[in-house]
Amino acid sequence: MTIAVRKFDAVIVGAGGSGMRAALELAHAGLRVAVLSKVFPTRSHTVAAQGGIGAALANMGEDHWIWHMYDTIKGSDYLGDQDAIEFMCRAAPEVVIELEHFGMPFDRNENGTIYQRPFGGHSANFGEKPVQRSSCAADRTGHAMLHTLYQRNVRAKTQFFVEWMALDLVRDASGRVLGVTALEMESGEMAVFHARATLFATGGAGRIFHSSTNAFINTGDGLGMAARAGIALEDMEFWQFHPTGVAGAGILITEGVRGEGGYLLNKDGERFMERYAPNMKDLASRDVVSRAMATEIKEGRGLGEHGDHVLLKLDHLGLETIEKRLPGIREISIKFANVDPVKDPIPVVPTVHYQMGGIPTNYHGEVLAWDGTRDTPVPGFYAAGECGCASVHGANRLGTNSLTDLLVFGRSAGRAMIEFIRGEGEAIPELPKDAADLSRMRVARLDSQSGGEDVHEVRNEVQRTMQAHCGVFRFPDLLAQGVAKVKAVAERAKRTQIKDKSKVFNTARIEALELDNLVETARATMICAAAREESRGAHDRADHPKRDDQNWLKHTLWSREGDRLAYKPVHLKPLTVETFQPKARVY
Amino acid sequence: MKFRIQRYDPDKDAKPYFRDYDVEIGPSDRMLLDALVRIKALDDSLSLRRSCREGVCGSDAMNINGKNQLACITKLVDLKEPVVIRPLPGLPIVRDLIVDMTQFFAQYHSVKPYLVNDEPPPEKERPQSPREREELDGLYECILCACCSTACPSFWWNPDKFVGPAGLLQAYRFIADSRDTAANERLDNLEDPYRLFRCHTIMNCVDVCPKGLNPSLAIGKIRTLLAKRAV
């Protein structure tokens, strides 16, 4: 069987915020770019972001990129790379203004500038008091941003391959990346996308957990593909639990609610964040708030039949503010919590939301391979957005910095790809003969497997295991059992079986292929978490309750082959300013 | 709970048919999508699109008990049994509940759904007053689910010529944007017996929009602008 080969200058996998921002750069440069997406671009998960984009525009009062930089480093619990963080915070105002010029319908101030709201962990003057830095469109910022980027790409005539699922990365014998294999969902046909430069912008993998704010599509496809192709993944133990997921439903309630003045209450009606973060209170960073909530619940101050959630109160903001700034939240609360927040508080619980780790890159989006002493770019391979790890979020991401990350690193990756493509000359290395073999084998195995494992059950087992063994609080015995369990379930995943054998839009096949990626991500997460014997950011170890800079101020690298772990130093040196030295983190 | 779902796989079926399912609903199952996921766990051949499961991505629009809705925000308790589920009407069926949306997106693209302003951009944002920005409320929130256009008889008859409510809502979103400089070209593009004027204000679009938007109102405003321009 021969497989169609399509040639492009660049292929981008994923049409969320970072993929479409990168695509714009390439399209504007007149290069031939293919953007592959499992879903129609405006259905990518960026659409669900609510609260805003962090950028020191200083529209509401004094603000500086270096304050943003400090907050991001502190938020990262000092695990973030300070060069990449400086790069992001300096570029943030520019990419937000660009997005406005693209047509983004930002909320506005009386003087016509973009409205900005306070957000968790964002402060003025190096932690002194909350600052208004989150540029937003009501509580639908991600939706407005994703549609704006799609619209701009329509104008730029970007070529989209909609409902194509990328299956595997193509590398030649030298390790050079030459594109991806992909499956057209409607026809069931496979093709090789042969490209000079390949960008993964595949988003997160929150679906490795049972309860998550993430969409069904967030299955870590980029992580799975990278891992199978021999790329080590960075800092996979760090997963953000968003403080406010709707209890029982997992749907996200933006931190913007607290930014606008909402706060959390325990069953005694106490505003408990005052005890945990006397200065920033409910606007402390997410790891701090989630741990405080989990502690309240654990110590019996939760509400509900099982005492398993706390309350988010916002009725005091008044109907007008809620309707103007938080209309989507009101809609979600009424639909998913049977609560109208204009009158009653919303039951909320910390819920898995964001993966800080991912495919290691520098701030140009170039994917890096660590040889034990230094990083070298993998030729032709780039990653940006949630699937990448620059690392700007370190051990804990600040709210709004995800969208900032998408815009800044989508753009910088696009620019780096242009430079790489133009510098390479005419000849593109040939595809290796075995370019599609792995993907072909994976699909053929699924088609012929009998007496195998049920996809739905295996996926459930992955999700239940992650939820029970790798939560807000982590315990050494549970993690050790978790490692054994994910390894066992990875074995089961090798024998998945589907009953549906149709060629046409076979979603059973898609889900089975996604499961392969979920399994890699879950395995990486559990193994990295079991190994890191300290508490930092979102990673909280009961047996090692303190941060340990002496031994653990370093990035984890997990390789699929043999589940090998390696570590590399954090970039403590920024681009132009002095290092922010690690210190105790108080909010 | 009982469901009757339209099935069709062009690989093996001559024409669409209905299949009945009776599934036990779990305590955490709130929305129709929860039930469909449960059905798919039993019968993996059932094909549908879904992603965000919170009503913002627009993937899982389908015809539920005769009305176009999003499965993920349609409450099970509100549904009469057996729940009859079909693909969105008026578009070619790819498989089961998945329709070919090419025509729908072609109409969306035909209104040039992007900001046009070729003056050199200022260093800062283009200023816009809160009042000017409010003009976009009720327009920019569209999720392109196609519930409205596929509930519109005018779109059923002329999907190649009539822009349809979703596309027209977005056309007006840019006409109404104080930063856009192409309002006249946009109006020219719509001044046509089919593209705009096939709308007969049947208002199905308003009735079905899962985001509570009002394409009919936007269409009315475009008509008014055209009328004013003609004077």
Side-chain angles (χ1 to χ4, degrees):
Chain A
M1 186 175 76
T2 57
I3 289 180
V5 175
R6 294 167 182 266
K7 274 190 200 285
F8 290 90
D9 293 317
V11 58
I12 295 175
V13 184
S18 66
M20 287 210 284
R21 185 63 193 78
L24 270 184
E25 289 300 304
L26 290 152
H28 287 157
L31 295 173
R32 278 170 38 81
V33 52
V35 182
L36 274 57
S37 178
K38 288 199 288 190
V39 293
F40 185 77
T42 63
R43 320 222 187 279
S44 306
H45 195 52
T46 303
V47 81
Q50 298 172 352
I53 314 170
L57 295 172
N59 282 356
M60 319 301 289
E62 192 181 355
D63 199 6
H64 302 283
W65 65 261
I66 199 165
W67 292 355
H68 186 192
M69 176 179 174
Y70 168 79
D71 292 336
T72 302
I73 293 169
K74 178 182 173 184
S76 82
D77 218 347
Y78 298 91
L79 192 71
D81 285 337
Q82 298 195 12
D83 51 351
I85 294 174
E86 179 179 339
F87 182 85
M88 179 178 83
C89 297
R90 287 180 81 126
E94 202 182 302
V95 292
V96 168
I97 294 298
E98 250 176 15
L99 188 63
E100 193 282 326
H101 294 160
F102 292 166
M104 171 87 172
F106 282 113
D107 287 4
R108 298 289 173 150
N109 295 308
E110 280 304 325
N111 65 2
T113 56
I114 296 168
Y115 166 76
Q116 298 182 281
R117 59 162 59 112
F119 234 76
H122 290 279
S123 75
N125 203 17
F126 309 102
E128 196 180 291
K129 56 178 191 230
V131 73
Q132 293 187 243
R133 188 181 288 148
S134 173
S135 323
C136 57
D139 53 2
R140 306 186 179 102
T141 312
H143 169 275
M145 173 169 141
L146 189 69
H147 280 254
T148 301
L149 288 172
Y150 177 66
Q151 290 158 357
R152 194 74 182 180
N153 271 288
V154 170
R155 188 179 192 186
K157 300 193 164 52
T158 302
Q159 194 172 356
F160 287 99
F161 288 80
V162 175
E163 292 174 334
W164 279 75
M165 182 183 175
L167 298 181
D168 285 290
L169 193 63
V170 176
R171 301 181 79 176
D172 69 13
S174 74
R176 165 84 158 91
V177 169
L178 287 167
V180 290
T181 55
L183 186 72
E184 185 182 34
M185 289 155 75
E186 183 173 335
S187 68
E189 296 295 333
M190 205 190 291
V192 180
F193 287 76
H194 185 194
R196 293 169 187 276
T198 302
L199 172 70
F200 276 9
T202 55
R207 285 276 156 180
I208 63 171
F209 288 88
H210 177 67
S211 175
S212 157
T213 65
N214 282 199
F216 280 102
I217 55 172
N218 289 22
T219 52
D221 297 342
L223 304 169
M225 288 189 280
R228 280 193 296 276
I231 306 284
L233 304 181
E234 180 173 344
D235 291 341
M236 290 303 295
E237 61 271 46
F238 297 102
W239 282 83
Q240 177 163 83
F241 286 77
H242 193 291
T244 53
V246 172
I251 310 284
L252 174 70
I253 299 288
T254 176
E255 194 170 312
V257 170
R258 284 169 286 138
E260 296 289 347
Y263 51 83
L264 296 162
L265 295 173
N266 63 18
K267 79 163 185 199
D268 304 325
E270 184 203 5
R271 191 175 173 185
F272 58 87
M273 279 313 299
E274 291 178 339
R275 265 190 285 126
Y276 295 88
N279 190 29
M280 296 290 279
K281 301 187 179 78
D282 295 83
L283 289 178
S285 61
R286 288 179 178 170
D287 57 332
V288 173
V289 179
S290 283
R291 250 190 312 275
M293 291 168 71
T295 303
E296 291 298 301
I297 291 165
K298 198 174 65 178
E299 292 179 355
R301 291 187 293 279
L303 293 97
E305 199 183 332
H306 306 289
D308 58 0
H309 60 262
V310 298
L311 296 175
L312 176 62
K313 174 179 156 65
L314 65 154
D315 59 296
H316 57 283
L317 302 182
L319 178 65
E320 198 184 330
T321 300
I322 293 174
E323 280 286 83
K324 188 169 172 196
R325 302 284 185 213
L326 304 163
I329 290 310
R330 188 177 184 203
E331 200 181 313
I332 285 170
S333 303
I334 292 170
K335 290 206 168 95
F336 287 92
N338 295 319
V339 158
D340 185 350
V342 168
K343 294 192 289 255
D344 297 302
I346 311 169
V348 290
V349 66
T351 307
V352 162
H353 181 56
Y354 188 87
Q355 138 208 329
M356 268 72 73
I359 302 168
T361 72
N362 57 22
Y363 55 85
H364 301 298
E366 295 171 329
V367 174
L368 302 172
W370 175 254
D371 67 4
T373 47
R374 63 193 188 99
D375 275 321
T376 323
V378 177
F381 192 25
Y382 300 78
E386 192 169 342
C387 76
C389 181
S391 142
V392 284
H393 309 304
N396 171 67
R397 172 173 71 74
L398 292 190
T400 75
N401 271 354
S402 55
L403 297 187
T404 313
D405 170 342
L406 303 185
L407 294 171
V408 170
F409 296 111
R411 188 178 76 166
S412 72
R415 289 178 176 176
M417 291 164 80
I418 293 167
E419 206 172 308
F420 177 78
I421 291 164
R422 289 196 172 143
E424 223 201 1
E426 285 305 302
I428 173 170
E430 272 185 39
L431 280 178
K433 295 251 180 312
D434 62 354
D437 284 7
L438 175 60
S439 301
R440 233 184 332 212
M441 271 160 47
R442 290 173 63 207
V443 172
R445 183 199 63 76
L446 266 180
D447 285 342
S448 62
Q449 182 78 50
S450 59
E453 296 275 355
D454 181 81
V455 172
H456 182 77
E457 277 174 24
V458 175
R459 186 174 54 215
N460 244 329
E461 176 67 15
V462 173
Q463 294 171 335
R464 298 274 176 196
T465 303
M466 295 309 298
Q467 198 76 25
H469 293 261
C470 207
V472 173
F473 296 118
R474 295 172 175 179
F475 305 89
D477 47 337
L478 277 180
L479 286 167
Q481 292 163 18
V483 169
K485 281 193 180 181
V486 289
K487 284 184 177 172
V489 81
E491 287 304 311
R492 291 177 64 190
K494 288 179 186 165
R495 304 183 58 252
T496 46
Q497 183 185 352
I498 51 174
K499 289 180 230 108
D500 186 358
K501 306 290 184 193
S502 171
K503 290 278 275 179
V504 181
F505 226 113
N506 186 330
T507 50
R509 176 186 289 153
I510 296 298
E511 288 186 26
L513 293 164
E514 287 174 334
L515 178 59
D516 292 344
N517 300 323
L518 278 178
V519 164
E520 301 297 348
T521 312
R523 206 164 83 181
T525 300
M526 194 72 86
I527 288 168
C528 295
R532 183 174 284 268
E533 295 182 329
E534 65 157 351
S535 291
R536 183 186 297 272
H539 178 66
D540 187 282
R541 285 279 298 246
D543 52 335
H544 296 278
K546 291 227 157 47
R547 192 176 83 201
D548 176 1
D549 290 333
Q550 202 67 39
N551 296 303
W552 289 100
L553 185 57
K554 56 188 180 185
H555 297 294
T556 310
L557 291 168
W558 168 86
S559 302
R560 178 175 183 263
E561 205 189 318
D563 288 315
R564 270 181 297 117
L565 292 179
Y567 294 90
K568 67 175 183 180
V570 174
H571 297 189
L572 291 171
K573 198 171 155 33
L575 298 172
T576 65
V577 295
E578 292 287 306
T579 295
F580 287 95
Q581 293 297 341
K583 58 179 186 187
R585 201 159 150 253
V586 183
Y587 283 100
Chain B
M1 194 166 178
K2 290 185 168 55
F3 299 86
R4 174 165 293 177
I5 304 179
Q6 184 174 316
R7 303 295 309 269
Y8 173 64
D9 177 355
D11 242 10
K12 57 182 197 329
D13 304 321
K15 58 179 201 295
Y17 63 98
F18 279 96
R19 175 144 181 213
D20 291 328
Y21 295 91
D22 193 349
V23 288
E24 190 130 350
I25 296 303
S28 63
D29 296 341
R30 196 180 318 245
M31 302 295 178
L32 174 60
L33 182 61
D34 299 325
L36 292 174
V37 168
R38 217 167 261 283
I39 292 170
K40 187 160 176 60
L42 302 169
D43 174 1
D44 71 3
S45 70
L46 175 66
S47 296
L48 66 143
R49 294 185 176 108
R50 83 284 178 269
S51 184
C52 75
R53 57 85 170 90
E54 59 188 58
V56 295
C57 80
S59 295
D60 63 351
M62 50 190 75
N63 187 273
I64 303 159
N65 281 348
K67 186 178 173 185
N68 293 350
Q69 299 178 74
L70 300 177
C72 62
I73 52 171
T74 297
K75 286 185 179 165
L76 286 167
V77 292
D78 295 339
L79 293 172
K80 210 175 114 231
E81 289 183 63
V83 184
V84 180
I85 306 172
R86 307 169 199 249
L88 288 176
L91 294 175
I93 300 170
V94 176
R95 180 174 172 181
D96 295 342
L97 301 175
I98 296 173
V99 290
D100 179 350
M101 296 185 66
T102 308
Q103 199 84 64
F104 173 79
F105 288 122
Q107 289 298 357
Y108 171 61
H109 293 156
S110 81
V111 305
K112 297 198 165 69
Y114 42 79
L115 191 84
V116 174
N117 186 330
D118 292 326
E119 290 156 27
E123 204 168 304
K124 296 282 181 185
E125 58 268 61
R126 291 184 201 278
Q128 187 171 48
S129 74
R131 255 73 52 203
E132 288 168 333
R133 168 59 184 78
E134 265 169 34
E135 293 295 316
L136 310 183
D137 285 342
L139 305 172
Y140 82 94
E141 301 93 323
C142 173
I143 59 173
L144 300 176
C145 65
C147 278
C148 60
S149 292
T150 61
C152 174
S154 300
F155 190 75
W156 293 340
W157 307 140
N158 294 291
D160 54 335
K161 294 187 204 142
F162 175 50
V163 172
L168 290 169
L169 187 82
Q170 289 316 296
Y172 186 66
R173 178 249 173 273
F174 288 99
I175 291 171
D177 195 320
S178 62
R179 301 167 296 174
D180 190 270
T181 55
N184 253 322
E185 292 87 327
R186 293 181 189 284
L187 291 174
D188 291 345
N189 175 289
L190 298 173
E191 198 166 27
D192 173 282
Y194 282 93
R195 285 180 63 70
L196 175 75
F197 290 103
R198 276 292 111 169
C199 169
H200 298 308
T201 51
I202 301 166
M203 309 275 275
N204 281 0
C205 53
V206 184
D207 187 40
V208 299
C209 177
K211 304 309 283 182
L213 308 180
N214 190 333
S216 191
L217 185 67
I219 294 168
K221 287 180 173 174
I222 299 174
R223 284 178 197 263
T224 307
L225 287 173
L226 279 171
K228 268 193 203 155
R229 198 170 73 148
V231 179

